[in-house]
Amino acid sequence: MKTPPIVSPEEWKAARHTLLVKEKELTRARDALAAQRRRMPWVAVEKDYRFEGLNHPASLLDLFEGRRQLIVYRFFYGPEVTTYASAGDVYPERACVGCSFVADQVAHPAHLNARNTTLVFVSRAPQAEIHGLKERMGWNVPWYTITDDFDADFDVDKWHGTNAFIREGDRIFRTYLIDARGDEAMGSTWSYLDITALGRQEEWEDSAEGYPQTPPYEWWNYHDAYSGNG
C-alpha cells in the first residue's frame, strides 16, 4: 500500500483547508440541485395502485398515512431476487444485499414524519415473509407488497429506486426519482427531504413562493418527542 506523505499538524491543517474550499462548493452545488428538484414539474398519478399491508389492503393514497408527501423505496425481496450476500443464502431468509444495506442506514422515520413526509418500502414478497425479515433485521419502516404494475410504471421493476410523491387532497403527483448510484446517498433524513417537492421546509432554502418553511433547528426533536405524527 502506497501511503500519502506524513506531514506536520500545520501542514495537515493547510491541506485540509484546501479541500474544505471544494467541500463547501459541493455543499452549495447540492443545495442548488435540491432547489431545482423543488421546481421540477409534477405528473399526475391516474391509476389506482393497490398494495397489501400486514393486515389490510392499501391504495397508494393510504401509503401517505395522511401526510402531504410520500417517499417509496423499491426494495428487492422475493423469489426472483438473486443478489444475496453469499452463495449459500436464499429467499426468504435473505433479501437483496444492496437493498438491505440501504435499509440498515435509514434514519428514524419520525423525523421525516415531522416534515409531513412518509417513507415506505415496497416489494413483491408476501407480507408474512416481509414481516419476518423486518423482525429479524430490526427495520421499522412501513413495508407493503406490490400487487400490480406499480414497479414497472415507476421505473423500479428491474432496479432499485426511490420515488417521491406529493398529494393535493386525494390527487397524487409524482415529483422525482432517484435510482442507481443515486440511492447510495439515501438513508438520512436530509437526503430524503432533498429529493421531495417541498424540500427540508426551512427558511434558508431557495424554494418557490408559498412553500411551507420554518426556522432551521427549531423543529428538530428526539424521535419519541414529536407532538402528533407529522
Side-chain angles (χ1 to χ4, degrees):
M1 178 178 174
K2 186 177 179 180
T3 63
I6 308 303
V7 298
S8 68
E10 291 74 20
E11 290 172 309
W12 184 90
K13 288 181 180 179
R16 188 257 173 178
H17 281 295
T18 298
L19 280 182
L20 184 60
V21 172
K22 295 182 179 296
E23 289 180 353
K24 289 183 177 181
E25 290 174 353
L26 178 61
T27 297
R28 288 190 288 270
R30 189 170 59 242
D31 290 341
L33 177 60
Q36 291 182 48
R37 291 190 189 116
R38 292 191 289 277
R39 290 169 171 82
M40 273 280 293
W42 300 356
V43 58
V45 178
E46 305 291 359
K47 291 171 65 173
D48 181 22
Y49 295 99
R50 308 300 299 184
F51 304 84
E52 286 294 330
L54 181 58
N55 298 308
H56 56 85
S59 66
L60 183 60
L61 184 63
D62 292 331
L63 270 55
F64 281 77
E65 296 180 354
R67 300 186 183 93
R68 182 80 186 280
Q69 298 191 124
L70 173 67
I71 299 169
V72 181
Y73 177 64
R74 202 302 195 198
F75 191 120
F76 276 88
Y77 181 45
E80 79 287 359
V81 179
T82 58
T83 52
Y84 301 114
S86 65
D89 295 334
V90 294
Y91 172 85
E93 286 75 23
R94 297 291 187 269
C96 165
V97 66
C99 296
S100 301
F101 199 97
V102 170
D104 277 338
Q105 300 178 73
V106 173
H108 199 287
H111 303 297
L112 282 174
N113 297 166
R115 294 278 88 176
N116 212 4
T117 303
T118 299
L119 170 68
V120 304
F121 292 165
V122 295
S123 300
R124 287 206 167 268
Q127 279 297 302
E129 291 165 4
I130 288 174
H131 180 68
L133 185 65
K134 284 183 63 176
E135 289 286 301
R136 172 174 165 261
M137 300 300 291
W139 296 328
N140 60 351
V141 175
W143 195 341
Y144 295 86
T145 301
I146 302 167
T147 66
D148 50 29
D149 295 329
F150 176 87
D151 49 358
D153 290 350
F154 291 100
D155 308 299
V156 289
D157 56 328
K158 301 187 184 305
W159 197 239
H160 57 82
T162 307
N163 273 284
F165 301 89
I166 195 168
R167 69 182 181 92
E168 295 280 351
D170 289 347
R171 294 200 69 198
I172 300 173
F173 303 88
R174 185 192 196 190
T175 61
Y176 208 66
L177 167 67
I178 288 286
D179 61 3
R181 288 197 62 190
D183 271 328
E184 290 180 1
M186 295 295 99
S188 75
T189 301
W190 304 127
S191 63
Y192 284 124
L193 289 175
D194 282 348
I195 71 167
T196 65
L198 300 182
R200 303 185 186 192
Q201 303 165 53
E202 294 185 340
E203 290 175 343
W204 63 270
E205 284 183 302
D206 175 12
S207 293
E209 183 179 351
Y211 274 43
Q213 291 185 319
T214 60
Y217 311 114
E218 293 184 8
W219 68 270
W220 302 3
N221 212 335
Y222 302 106
H223 70 248
D224 63 350
Y226 287 107
S227 59
N229 204 20

